[in-house]
Amino acid sequence: MKGKNNKNKDDNKQARTPVVSGEFTNIEVTASPEGQPTDDFMETPVEEPKKGVTLNDLADIDPELLTGKPVENSVIPDLPPLPDGKDGKAEEPAVKAHDIPTELNLDKNEEALDTGKKRRNAGIFFVVFGIILVFVIAAVTFALDTGMDESFISPLSINGRDVSSGEFSFMYHYELLSEGVDLFAADTDKMLLSPYLDDDNFATYRDYFRFVTAQDLQKTEILYVDATSQGYEIEKAHYDRANAYINWLKGKADELGVPLDTYIKGVFGSQVDEQIIINTLARKYFTEDYAEGEKLIQLSATDEQAENAYRQSRNIYDLVSYKLFRFTYEQREQAFIDTANLHAQQIIDAMGKDPSKFESCAAKYFSGVAANTLAQPDSMLVSDCRYEDISHAEFREWLFDESRTVGDAVIFHDEDGFPIILVFVSRDRMAEKLRNCYIVTVNNQMTEEMTPDMAGTQALSQEIFDYIDDADSCNEVENLYNDYILAGQLSVVHDDQIFQAEYSEALAEWIFAAERKLGDKTLIEDNGTFYVIYFISESPNPEWYDRVNSFLRMNNYQQFITAKQAEFTWSFNEDGLSQIKDVP
């Protein structure tokens, strides 16, 4: 799922802007080329990380809390004790005090026959009565134990469908955990009842989270109805992902030494069981995949829409190439500044609007290393830069000015007044095709002594690599290794818009290899971090179109959801809401 959160692109991003600087000592020219722009002129681009939502760690739940035993010195609210026989252990089978005798009476005496019949009829009556009584007692006990006597009251209705108490309770606590709410903290009840300050529409945090839960369930309902009306169905892969989540919960329950059902009820509410979680999550995963796949394809932009959108925001979809050269003397007197500026203008004039001549025109003013560098054609060229790659505001605005033509040159000045020559070479649409991959990033694990554990990190990476065999298993990793994600040691990202410079050279070289095909996977170590990459596809379109289309599709999708929300109205039932406990 997209949404997912979780890349460290800044650590892997390649340097984008080489700069050569010529320095003069007295009258003799010496130069030392610089491979990167100085901090004076280029700011580090900041990229917004992709985020993903995961559950908060539940490992701190006291096992005694979940079994109904008293917790000494605990600030965690006590759960009500479970009825006898419901502590997770199998009950002993009941032992009959007296078996009903079965007797064949061969006496022809009618009185004896009548007596035998009466005995048998009485026995049958008591057996039937006993069975009915057992079922009644079992049903009542089960209802009292699980809250089923109340669970039939729906807390939410969406477009005429009553959402069950169990489904709502699970999603409500799922939302709380996703937002980092510790359900068993001493002040959780107080926090949820406190005023919600970010929006006047909600009196308390509880009201806000109930609203978020209702909206998410509404969106799921909209997409489910739309998808099934077109013949799409929940697939086995969605249930597999839900079961992976159940397996994670089971692992947490095992750590605490409690049954899975007890753990589920202690976290999500007494109305919730394993099957409710599986069904709810499978439905959620199905609608998310539909929204990010088939539905977006249906909402794709037309060629005319794409072209119009491109024209309106060319800076987002274009790449520029340019040449940059910094001219300085070691001496900072005004005479040297004036001389440097004079030579800078002479280079521009000699170039004559032909960027290919820039290096040769500049070389005559240098000697040594700088002269050798400038002797190489296009040694000052910086190719295919995105708008956000160029953090120096004046450089960026000048280069992306739509009036720029090939060979345009300008002189900027550093803080001392020395010239920086900028030459415009070209501007083109993003043409390379984007790649679609899952990337699992495994950060360096630490030992108990808080030292880097490279062997452990590699072993974990290899384990994940061996587990992954298709796109669905990549999704399952997020649930199976949720503890590592919560600890910041691992991230799972589905990135369907990977461009050449997005990741480090080591990753890009594999991802953009010509022979790459669906199902290819690799394990790469890069500067102590391990990456498991699963390749899905190469786009058939140029990057600019995919980015324009992505923008328009999302706009169309939002319009679709907004229109459907007016149709799929929802309302709360206060009697049902009263059953939903903030802290189960």
Side-chain angles (χ1 to χ4, degrees):
M1 299 181 294
K2 282 184 188 179
K4 298 168 176 180
N5 60 71
N6 297 321
K7 284 189 284 191
N8 251 340
K9 295 183 181 177
D10 291 338
D11 294 339
N12 301 317
K13 196 142 186 162
Q14 293 176 321
R16 301 291 298 151
T17 317
V19 181
V20 169
S21 169
E23 295 188 1
F24 290 81
T25 303
N26 297 327
I27 303 301
E28 182 178 352
V29 177
T30 61
S32 60
E34 298 171 2
Q36 299 294 335
T38 64
D39 292 337
D40 296 336
F41 300 100
M42 303 300 287
E43 304 164 4
T44 303
V46 177
E47 183 165 0
E48 182 177 346
K50 294 187 179 179
K51 142 179 198 188
V53 174
T54 56
L55 292 182
N56 201 26
D57 197 353
L58 307 174
D60 295 330
I61 300 175
D62 194 319
E64 293 183 345
L65 175 69
L66 296 181
T67 55
K69 298 179 182 178
V71 184
E72 185 176 353
N73 299 325
S74 174
V75 295
I76 300 174
D78 291 336
L79 290 176
L82 298 174
D84 292 340
K86 296 296 180 179
D87 58 354
K89 298 180 182 178
E91 295 183 21
E92 294 293 328
V95 179
K96 296 181 181 179
H98 302 284
D99 287 332
I100 304 296
T102 303
E103 180 181 315
L104 180 61
N105 192 337
L106 299 178
D107 192 345
K108 299 297 182 181
N109 183 283
E110 292 296 327
E111 183 178 349
L113 289 174
D114 289 342
T115 302
K117 288 179 180 179
K118 290 177 181 178
R119 285 180 179 176
R120 284 192 291 273
N121 289 339
I124 293 171
F125 171 80
F126 282 112
V127 169
V128 173
F129 178 80
I131 292 173
I132 294 173
L133 183 61
V134 167
F135 272 109
V136 170
I137 293 173
V140 171
T141 302
F142 178 74
L144 291 175
D145 183 41
T146 62
M148 291 296 289
D149 56 322
E150 295 181 335
S151 66
F152 295 105
I153 304 176
S154 168
L156 176 71
S157 176
I158 304 173
N159 193 33
R161 181 180 83 88
D162 288 337
V163 176
S164 73
S165 184
E167 182 181 356
F168 187 90
S169 185
F170 169 69
M171 285 305 301
Y172 174 66
H173 293 94
Y174 188 95
E175 295 289 352
L176 290 173
L177 293 167
S178 297
E179 292 299 320
V181 176
D182 183 352
L183 296 177
F184 298 96
D187 62 346
T188 296
D189 274 327
K190 182 179 179 182
M191 182 277 290
L192 289 172
L193 290 173
S194 64
Y196 186 77
L197 303 178
D198 294 339
D199 191 331
D200 294 338
N201 291 318
F202 307 108
T204 66
Y205 278 91
R206 172 196 284 169
D207 294 326
Y208 167 74
F209 282 116
R210 285 177 172 178
F211 175 81
V212 170
T213 302
Q215 274 211 321
D216 281 355
L217 288 168
Q218 178 194 43
K219 184 181 292 185
T220 298
E221 185 75 9
I222 290 170
L223 292 167
Y224 181 81
V225 171
D226 190 67
T228 54
S229 70
Q230 299 183 53
Y232 298 103
E233 297 178 348
I234 299 177
E235 299 174 355
K236 179 179 179 296
H238 300 118
Y239 286 106
D240 289 342
R241 285 166 62 185
N243 276 303
Y245 182 77
I246 289 293
N247 290 337
W248 179 74
L249 290 178
K250 188 177 186 306
K252 308 304 290 182
D254 291 344
E255 289 176 13
L256 297 173
V258 298
L260 173 60
D261 187 61
T262 302
Y263 183 82
I264 287 173
K265 294 183 186 305
V267 174
F268 300 106
S270 61
Q271 305 98 318
V272 184
D273 58 26
E274 179 179 343
Q275 196 59 52
I276 285 175
I277 294 177
I278 290 173
N279 291 341
T280 303
L281 283 182
R283 204 170 193 256
K284 176 180 172 65
Y285 294 147
F286 164 64
T287 55
E288 287 175 347
D289 285 351
Y290 173 71
E292 296 169 3
E294 289 83 358
K295 192 61 188 177
L296 284 185
I297 293 174
Q298 296 171 18
L299 299 172
S300 292
T302 65
D303 291 343
E304 183 180 0
Q305 288 175 323
E307 187 65 27
N308 289 338
Y310 166 76
R311 293 292 178 189
Q312 291 172 13
S313 304
R314 287 185 59 196
N315 288 352
I316 301 175
Y317 311 115
D318 279 351
L319 302 172
V320 299
S321 298
Y322 62 91
K323 294 185 177 183
L324 185 141
F325 189 78
R326 185 176 182 181
F327 220 127
T328 63
Y329 286 97
E330 184 176 313
Q331 294 83 351
R332 292 296 186 261
E333 288 83 357
Q334 188 61 45
F336 291 96
I337 294 174
D338 293 342
T339 300
N341 278 282
L342 174 62
H343 291 327
Q345 188 59 53
Q346 289 171 336
I347 293 171
I348 291 175
D349 293 341
M351 181 184 66
K353 300 274 293 183
D354 184 352
S356 66
K357 297 179 179 179
F358 179 78
E359 286 81 2
S360 60
C361 292
K364 66 178 65 174
Y365 297 97
F366 295 88
S367 63
V369 175
N372 292 334
T373 300
L374 290 166
Q376 305 299 318
D378 292 331
S379 56
M380 298 296 104
L381 179 65
V382 184
S383 300
D384 298 334
C385 284
R386 298 164 188 268
Y387 187 83
E388 63 269 19
D389 290 339
I390 305 171
S391 56
H392 190 289
E394 289 184 282
F395 291 0
R396 183 177 60 236
E397 296 308 315
W398 186 86
L399 287 168
F400 278 89
D401 188 322
E402 292 190 19
S403 66
R404 282 286 77 74
T405 59
V406 176
D408 283 356
V410 66
I411 297 175
F412 290 96
H413 296 91
D414 66 15
E415 65 278 10
D416 294 319
F418 284 97
I420 302 168
I421 306 174
L422 198 59
V423 180
F424 181 82
V425 176
S426 65
R427 176 171 180 158
D428 302 289
R429 300 189 191 199
M430 298 171 176
E432 190 168 35
K433 297 176 179 179
L434 296 169
R435 269 52 169 185
N436 183 356
C437 298
Y438 277 90
I439 301 179
V440 181
T441 303
V442 185
N443 299 318
N444 211 330
Q445 312 295 298
M446 304 298 287
T447 65
E448 293 182 358
E449 293 76 24
M450 297 307 295
T451 57
D453 182 10
M454 286 294 292
T457 306
Q458 184 171 5
L460 175 61
S461 304
Q462 186 65 50
E463 181 181 311
I464 294 172
F465 174 85
D466 293 338
Y467 180 81
I468 289 174
D469 55 14
D470 57 17
D472 291 321
S473 59
C474 293
N475 285 322
E476 292 167 12
V477 166
E478 189 167 11
N479 284 334
L480 292 172
Y481 296 87
N482 199 35
D483 289 338
Y484 291 94
I485 293 174
L486 294 170
Q489 298 171 334
L490 186 149
S491 67
V492 182
V493 171
H494 178 202
D495 191 345
D496 61 356
Q497 294 192 340
I498 300 175
F499 56 91
Q500 183 70 246
E502 185 172 4
Y503 294 98
S504 69
E505 185 176 350
L507 274 62
E509 183 178 353
W510 186 87
I511 293 172
F512 284 86
E515 69 272 15
R516 203 57 58 229
K517 64 184 183 303
L518 172 65
D520 286 355
K521 64 178 182 177
T522 189
L523 174 58
I524 298 175
E525 185 271 328
D526 189 20
N527 293 322
T529 300
F530 287 82
Y531 301 89
V532 180
I533 309 176
Y534 181 85
F535 187 89
I536 297 177
S537 64
E538 171 186 316
S539 173
N541 308 308
E543 181 181 348
W544 77 267
Y545 176 84
D546 278 343
R547 292 198 179 279
V548 166
N549 190 38
S550 176
F551 172 75
L552 291 175
R553 287 187 309 185
M554 287 310 299
N555 270 358
N556 293 339
Y557 173 76
Q558 285 305 125
Q559 291 175 9
F560 164 77
I561 292 294
T562 300
K564 285 294 184 180
Q565 282 174 337
E567 176 184 341
F568 283 70
T569 57
W570 58 265
S571 60
F572 282 133
N573 180 334
E574 291 301 326
D575 290 336
L577 282 179
S578 67
Q579 304 165 345
I580 309 300
K581 308 302 181 185
D582 296 328
V583 179

